[in-house]
Amino acid sequence: DPYSPPAQYQSLFTDRDGRTVTADSPRPLREVVAYDQEIRYTDDELERLFEEIQRLGLGENTIFILTSDHGEEFFEHGLWGHGP
């Protein structure tokens, strides 16, 4: 937070519950969409990294460890954001 996916990702995942999320949609909907767009951006960047590791011939001798915490909360349990 704040979520700011690159421009080429901002048209992804805009359909939520049968409605299109736009700049005029409620903030929670806009933020969930932007969060998903940023996840996709991160996935694509990781793919580029893995491809480059293979291209350089380092794949057989490389260990890549990716860790994560619980992510964000979008009212699934009555809370919003990352801190609570």
Side-chain angles (χ1 to χ4, degrees), residues 9-82:
Y9 291 85
Q10 293 177 7
S11 64
L12 301 176
F13 313 119
T14 58
D15 183 47
R16 285 286 193 254
D17 300 324
R19 56 187 168 171
T20 301
V21 178
T22 67
D24 297 324
S25 296
R27 180 179 171 218
L29 282 176
R30 294 191 323 264
E31 290 197 4
V32 168
V33 166
Y35 183 72
D36 288 348
Q37 292 165 344
E38 286 191 358
I39 290 170
R40 175 59 183 271
Y41 167 67
T42 301
D43 287 348
D44 288 350
E45 290 299 298
L46 286 171
E47 180 181 23
R48 287 182 53 218
L49 173 64
F50 298 147
E51 288 172 353
E52 185 66 8
I53 288 170
Q54 292 297 354
R55 188 189 71 76
L56 294 171
L58 302 172
E60 292 297 317
N61 295 312
T62 299
I63 295 174
F64 188 86
I65 299 170
L66 178 67
T67 63
S68 177
D69 68 0
H70 56 80
E72 298 294 326
E73 183 146 11
F74 296 108
F75 291 123
E76 295 93 348
H77 303 285
L79 301 172
W80 180 265
H82 191 81

